[in-house]
Amino acid sequence: MTEAPVLDPPRTQLRPEIEPEPTSTLDRVLVGVFTGIPFVTLLAAVPLAWGWGLLGWTDIAIAAVFYLLTAGGITVGFHRYFTHGSFKAVRPLRIALAIAGTLAIQGPVITWVSDHRRHHKYADKESDPHSPWRFGSDWKALAKGLVWAHYGWLFNGERTSQERFAPDLLADKDIRRLDKAFPALVAVSFLLPAALGGLITMSWQGALTALFWASFVRISLVHHVTWSINSICHTFGNEDFQVRDKSRNVPWLAILSLGESWHNLHHADPTLARHGVLKGQVDISARAIWAFEKLGWATDVRWPKAERLAARRARS
C-alpha cells in the first residue's frame, strides 16, 4: 500500500500571525508612490522656501494645524487609544481619532493597529515586523536594519493577521467603515489643505503652495517622524526603565513626535496614557488626552502611578 505524501502545513499554521495571502505588487507600488512623492517634496522644501520665497504664513498655519491633527491622530488615536487602550473614548471622539490617524496616510486603522500589536508581542525578536536588529548587531547589519525598520519593512510581502491581532476593531462597524474609506481619506488629506489655502488667499497660487507645504511636505514629515520611533528609538538613546527589548528614549524627537520618543517607558508599561514621566519629558499627546478627560470625552485614563514606575526603573 502506497503511503500518502506528507504535505507541508499551511502557512497560517506555521505563522498564525501572518495572513496566508501576501501583499500584492500593486499595494507595494502604491506604498512607494504615497511615501516617495511626499519625501521628494520634503527634500525640495528648503531651497524652495529660502530660494524662491514660496512659503507664506498661510502655508505655515495650515501645515501646522494638519501636522498636529494627523500626527496626533497617530499618537493619541492609532497608538495610545486603538492599539493599547490607554483610555476609553465616547463614540464621536473614537470616530474623530480614527479619521485623524487615517489622514496621516500610514495605512488603514486596522492594518496599523495589527502591525503595532504584533510589534509589541515580538519586540526586537524574529517576528517583529520592523525591528532594526533584524539582521544582527554588527555595524553593517545594524545599518541595514535601520533602513529596514524606518522604511523597508513597508514593502515586505507579509501581512499581519487582523483576526489574530485586532478582532476588537473588526467587530466595530464604525471602524470597519473608516478602514474601508482609506482611499477617500487619502484624497482628503492631500486636497483639503489646498482647498483651504485657495479659499483663504483667494488665489490659485495659495492653493498650490498649500498643497506643497501642508499636504506633501507635512505628510512626509509625519511619516518620517513616526518611522523614526521604529528605527532610531529602538537603537539609540537612554534606557530609564527596564525592558526586554531595545526601546530607548530619544529627547530630541520629543516635540516633533508629540511625546512618542519617550519610547522606553512605553515598552516597559505599554498601556500608559503618558510616556514622558520624568522631569523635563514633554508629552504633548498626554496633554491632549488630559484635555479630552477634562471635557468628559475620555474616561478610565491609565495615568502612570509612582509605585509602578518605581518598580520598572532601570538599575544604574
Side-chain angles (χ1 to χ4, degrees):
M1 181 177 179
T2 304
E3 294 184 359
V6 178
L7 302 177
D8 291 334
R11 188 177 180 183
T12 51
Q13 290 182 16
L14 290 172
R15 299 281 302 281
E17 71 274 11
I18 302 300
E19 295 284 6
E21 294 297 325
T23 304
S24 69
T25 301
L26 175 60
D27 286 338
R28 279 175 275 183
V29 169
L30 291 175
V31 167
V33 169
F34 285 105
T35 59
I37 293 177
F39 182 59
V40 171
T41 65
L42 182 61
L43 293 177
V46 172
L48 283 175
W50 298 107
W52 297 353
L54 296 179
L55 174 63
W57 288 109
T58 300
D59 303 315
I60 294 172
I62 297 173
V65 168
F66 274 86
Y67 184 91
L68 290 172
L69 175 68
T70 55
I74 292 294
T75 64
V76 177
F78 279 23
H79 192 203
R80 304 191 195 193
Y81 177 61
F82 287 110
T83 301
H84 296 294
S86 297
F87 59 94
K88 294 180 180 178
V90 296
R91 183 169 179 256
L93 178 60
R94 181 179 178 86
I95 292 172
L97 289 173
I99 293 173
T102 304
L103 292 176
I105 313 182
Q106 295 183 19
V109 56
I110 300 178
T111 299
W112 199 102
V113 169
S114 298
D115 285 336
H116 196 72
R117 288 177 178 173
R118 179 179 156 211
H119 160 66
H120 271 268
K121 182 174 181 179
Y122 300 107
D124 292 321
K125 295 180 175 63
E126 183 180 356
S127 292
D128 184 341
H130 47 63
S131 173
W133 303 90
R134 179 184 182 95
F135 305 106
S137 56
D138 63 87
W139 74 268
K140 289 184 179 180
L142 188 54
K144 183 179 179 181
L146 281 166
V147 174
W148 170 266
H150 193 82
Y151 190 54
W153 75 280
L154 295 170
F155 299 92
N156 187 9
E158 291 185 346
R159 293 186 301 124
T160 302
S161 171
Q162 296 180 355
E163 288 77 10
R164 180 177 177 84
F165 287 98
D168 53 327
L169 300 187
L170 289 172
D172 188 311
K173 292 181 180 179
D174 291 328
I175 301 306
R176 285 206 315 273
R177 291 192 187 99
L178 290 170
D179 189 85
K180 292 179 180 178
F182 178 70
L185 291 172
V186 167
V188 170
S189 190
F190 277 104
L191 298 179
L192 182 57
L196 290 174
L199 290 172
I200 292 171
T201 64
M202 296 302 294
S203 68
W204 283 107
Q205 181 178 342
L208 291 173
T209 56
L211 177 67
F212 180 84
W213 292 104
S215 295
F216 285 97
V217 172
R218 178 263 310 175
I219 288 168
S220 188
L221 187 58
V222 173
H223 281 171
H224 286 278
V225 169
T226 301
W227 299 337
S228 293
I229 307 302
N230 299 338
S231 56
I232 294 171
C233 292
H234 274 265
T235 309
F236 308 103
N238 306 317
E239 184 180 352
D240 298 311
F241 296 88
Q242 297 180 55
V243 289
R244 297 180 179 179
D245 50 56
K246 302 290 187 179
S247 57
R248 299 293 184 265
N249 289 332
V250 181
W252 57 270
L253 264 173
I255 300 299
L256 277 176
S257 68
L258 309 185
E260 292 292 282
S261 69
W262 307 119
H263 203 54
N264 177 236
L265 173 63
H266 173 57
H267 272 259
D269 202 344
T271 63
L272 291 182
R274 184 177 181 89
H275 297 176
V277 297
L278 302 180
K279 185 177 180 180
Q281 293 185 342
V282 177
D283 190 340
I284 298 171
S285 296
R287 297 304 293 176
I289 296 170
W290 175 86
F292 293 151
E293 184 181 37
K294 293 300 180 184
L295 291 168
W297 301 347
T299 57
D300 296 336
V301 182
R302 297 182 178 180
W303 295 117
K305 295 181 179 180
E307 59 273 17
R308 287 174 66 88
L309 295 177
R312 287 164 172 75
R313 282 305 298 266
R315 296 181 179 89
S316 300

